[in-house]
Amino acid sequence: MPTLSRLLAEARERLRGAGVPSPEVDARALAEHTLGLTGAALLTRAGEEVPDEQAARLRALIARRAARIPLQHLLGEVEWGGVRLRTDGRALVPRPETEWLLHLALEALYGVPAPRVLDVGTGTGALALGLKAARPDARVTATDLSPEALALAGENAALNGLDVALVGGHLLAGLPGPFDLIVSNPPYLPDGDRAGADPEVRHDPDLALYAGADGLAVARPLAAAAGAVLAPGGVLLLELDPRNAPTLAGELGAAGWRAGVLPDLTGRERFVRATRPPAVSPVRESGAAG
């Protein structure tokens, strides 16, 4: 039987050789998951032998990670934004940077009693559920075009015991509003990024990733429709690519919105925040199709 330290060293080397960006972190996460150990136990029990059956299960998971299957898919569940989320190929894996979008959304709702919130393109349900967990008084609606993603969001709502209205359909799905906040992490990558995508990204649905030549083919029509369903003074918050967030913010400003770009925790211009004025012009949608 191999010792725990030998298994971990073997796992690190295999992942490093496969080009996995964080071999140490991933090896430890998979060992904790497979062996039912805490991070501290990985250190204190390093010299102990691991039963062959458990070692075989860990090696099988390491082989799948070396094939660049996302770590979150192998773990099956992640902690994100104060909620637990099942993750698989039905929806985009929730990214750490999107937790800052959740923070910005909660900041926008500060002082708004019983806010009405719409999460467009909910995927796993991460934003909708994170908002509902932090603001139980909020009335949260979440939409998605993908029935598979919406089913996963429903499973996650049940997992967390949170009441969120889930609606299938494109963008605002005919919802009349009014909403105090519309938040979305829509597909925002230019189609040209597809060829050079990391192997892990190819396990996410293309529908959740790519949006035309400039990556704004979804965000533009979403912004165009948002003005009609936001309450006066309501806020639109979007996560976009740093390459196109300033473009959309500029278009919103030209259409009469109070719009700006906010940085992520690394300083990249990732988030667009726009406030609905009393009267708003339609956002230009030209060039939306790639």
Side-chain angles (χ1 to χ4, degrees):
M1 292 187 293
T3 63
L4 179 54
S5 61
R6 176 186 160 192
L7 264 181
L8 283 172
E10 175 188 305
R12 285 194 301 270
E13 288 311 305
R14 179 153 192 188
L15 296 182
R16 187 174 291 113
V20 172
S22 51
E24 173 75 29
V25 170
D26 290 17
R28 292 175 66 85
L30 290 171
E32 290 173 22
H33 173 73
T34 306
L35 306 178
L37 298 176
T38 64
L42 291 184
L43 296 174
T44 60
R45 299 172 60 178
E48 293 184 13
E49 292 184 332
V50 177
D52 289 335
E53 184 181 347
Q54 287 186 318
R57 287 204 303 270
L58 176 56
R59 284 171 172 144
L61 279 180
I62 293 296
R64 295 180 69 198
R65 184 67 188 103
R68 307 302 290 272
I69 294 173
L71 175 66
Q72 296 88 341
H73 288 188
L74 299 176
L75 297 175
E77 191 178 291
V78 296
E79 296 283 340
W80 185 98
V83 295
R84 294 163 58 204
L85 298 171
R86 291 177 183 154
T87 55
D88 57 38
R90 289 177 287 176
L92 186 76
V93 171
R95 268 53 173 184
E97 54 265 32
T98 306
E99 290 193 75
W100 194 246
L101 179 61
L102 174 62
H103 166 80
L104 295 173
L106 290 170
E107 191 174 66
L109 294 176
Y110 182 76
V112 181
R116 299 152 296 181
V117 180
L118 177 63
D119 173 22
V120 179
T122 194
T124 61
L127 283 168
L129 296 172
L131 284 162
K132 185 66 176 179
R135 288 290 305 265
D137 63 323
R139 288 173 283 171
V140 181
T141 301
T143 71
D144 207 288
L145 181 62
S146 164
E148 295 80 12
L150 211 62
L152 179 59
E155 293 170 19
N156 284 326
L159 179 66
N160 291 276
L162 294 171
D163 182 18
V164 170
L166 299 171
V167 180
H170 182 58
L171 297 181
L172 305 185
L175 297 167
F179 297 102
D180 300 296
L181 171 69
I182 295 176
V183 63
S184 182
N185 175 23
Y188 56 63
L189 295 177
D191 287 343
D193 285 9
R194 188 181 272 105
D198 290 338
E200 287 83 356
V201 171
R202 293 169 189 165
H203 291 270
D204 287 322
D206 278 6
L207 185 66
L209 292 169
Y210 302 104
D214 62 358
L216 292 174
V218 175
R220 278 196 183 100
L222 169 57
V229 297
L230 275 172
V235 174
L236 173 66
L237 268 173
L238 303 174
E239 178 179 336
L240 296 175
D241 190 287
R243 294 169 294 178
N244 54 35
T247 299
L248 186 67
E251 292 174 9
L252 283 163
W257 294 70
R258 294 189 295 277
V261 181
L262 299 171
D264 63 17
L265 293 177
T266 67
R268 293 173 296 178
E269 295 184 315
R270 182 173 293 279
F271 306 107
V272 172
R273 187 186 193 279
T275 305
R276 179 191 185 278
V280 63
S281 304
V283 178
R284 178 179 65 84
E285 291 191 45
S286 62

